[in-house]
Amino acid sequence: MPKTISFTLNNTHVEFTGQGEENLLHVLRTDFNLTGTKFGCGEGYCGACTILVDNMAMRSCQMTIADVQGKAVLTIEGLGDRDNLDPVQNAFIEHDALQCGFCTPGMILNAVSLLKENPQPSQQEIIRAMDNNLCRCGAYGRIIEAIESASRKQTGGK
């Protein structure tokens, strides 16, 4: 029997009617047309499908739509807009922390989650937090620099 799942998606209350066992990544991409969240490995290892659920980085490929009942979901499309980018988005641009861009949405959302939890992480803490987000282009050094820069800007340059 179909059920209705209610949640907040990119700061808007939404509902999805289905069985509840539908893969969250698939629902976001297909039913809500939010294609910034990428399908990578499908196993939760690469981080391309990372979203924020109640401000915590989660792998949407490993979740069902029922898992977000009553929660706040944020995808890359809801993080900032063309005229008002999130500091992490700006830092990724400033530090050229992307090449092909496939991993970038997951990288950015994972970094946003890290900086919400730890506004001034050390380089080692950044590396540890980002370790499970894979970049096939190898932009890791610039990604770390971008996160350090965003941290400094958000905390007043400390």
Side-chain angles (χ1 to χ4, degrees), residues 12-153:
T12 301
H13 177 78
V14 297
E15 293 182 342
F16 174 84
T17 301
Q19 297 304 309
E21 297 305 313
E22 293 85 354
N23 179 272
L24 180 58
L25 171 60
H26 180 77
V27 170
L28 291 172
R29 291 182 57 81
T30 305
D31 296 280
F32 291 100
N33 200 32
L34 298 171
T35 58
T37 305
K38 305 296 186 205
F39 177 84
C41 67
E43 304 280 329
Y45 296 119
C46 74
C49 68
T50 301
I51 59 171
L52 300 184
V53 178
D54 291 342
N55 289 320
M56 297 216 26
M58 305 289 284
R59 304 293 204 246
S60 63
C61 75
Q62 298 296 294
M63 300 177 74
T64 67
I65 188 69
D67 292 334
V68 297
Q69 169 67 40
K71 296 183 179 177
V73 174
L74 186 71
T75 68
I76 196 69
E77 291 89 349
L79 184 59
D81 60 48
R82 191 175 287 250
D83 297 323
N84 189 28
L85 293 176
D86 182 87
V88 176
Q89 290 172 309
N90 275 323
F92 267 63
I93 293 167
E94 290 169 6
H95 290 271
D96 198 25
L98 55 128
Q99 286 183 26
C100 79
F102 191 83
C103 71
T104 306
M107 289 279 189
I108 288 173
L109 289 170
N110 198 53
V112 167
S113 177
L114 166 65
L115 294 177
K116 284 182 185 293
E117 184 179 318
N118 181 358
Q120 296 179 312
S122 68
Q123 188 175 75
Q124 282 306 110
E125 289 170 323
I126 292 170
I127 291 169
R128 204 170 18 261
M130 300 302 291
D131 193 40
N132 291 322
N133 280 73
L134 304 180
C135 173
R136 293 182 182 185
C137 300
Y140 296 112
R142 294 187 307 272
I143 290 167
I144 293 165
E145 290 171 3
I147 296 167
E148 289 173 327
S149 175
S151 171
R152 284 190 302 274
K153 287 182 181 175

